[in-house]
Amino acid sequence: MRPFSKKWISWNIIHIFDPFIFTTHVVAGLLWITGLVEPIVIFPTLYICLLIYYVIRIVYHRWIDRRISRQMSIPDEDTLTVMPTVRFSKTGT
């Protein structure tokens, strides 16, 4: 909620540097600069793809969170924090 509130909200869905998000923006920028595709096509397509990517990451994060919680038998009063990695499907040990 910053800068509107001092409350910090972290969903831990996307890593600080996400190669997919970075690469799609670079590709969109190059397509725009070279004039191969009109910006009215590039950018809505880019952000629709990113929206789908975020939804996939949210679903995957929830699935991993539930899976780990079941495997470790985490009590309800404890908190489990699952952090994303740069690699989409790479889990830490």
Side-chain angles (χ1 to χ4, degrees):
M1 293 298 294
R2 298 212 180 226
F4 306 108
S5 164
K6 291 190 178 205
K7 183 173 180 159
W8 181 262
I9 297 174
S10 176
W11 292 342
N12 300 323
I13 302 295
I14 301 294
H15 196 271
I16 262 181
F17 174 80
D18 190 287
F20 179 78
I21 295 171
F22 179 77
T23 303
T24 55
H25 277 86
V26 168
V27 169
L30 290 173
L31 289 172
W32 181 27
I33 289 169
T34 59
L36 293 173
V37 183
E38 292 293 320
I40 197 161
V41 174
I42 296 170
F43 293 103
T45 303
L46 168 67
Y47 291 112
I48 288 169
C49 288
L50 290 179
L51 177 68
I52 292 167
Y53 178 68
Y54 270 91
V55 168
I56 290 169
R57 289 297 298 235
I58 290 167
V59 169
Y60 184 70
H61 184 270
R62 288 183 180 168
W63 178 76
I64 289 291
D65 191 31
R66 287 187 190 119
R67 183 174 160 204
I68 291 172
S69 293
R70 279 193 304 262
Q71 287 178 354
M72 296 179 69
S73 300
I74 307 279
D76 289 336
E77 62 272 4
D78 289 343
T79 302
L80 174 68
T81 302
V82 178
M83 299 297 293
T85 61
V86 174
R87 293 182 183 175
F88 183 79
S89 63
K90 177 80 172 167
T91 56
T93 54

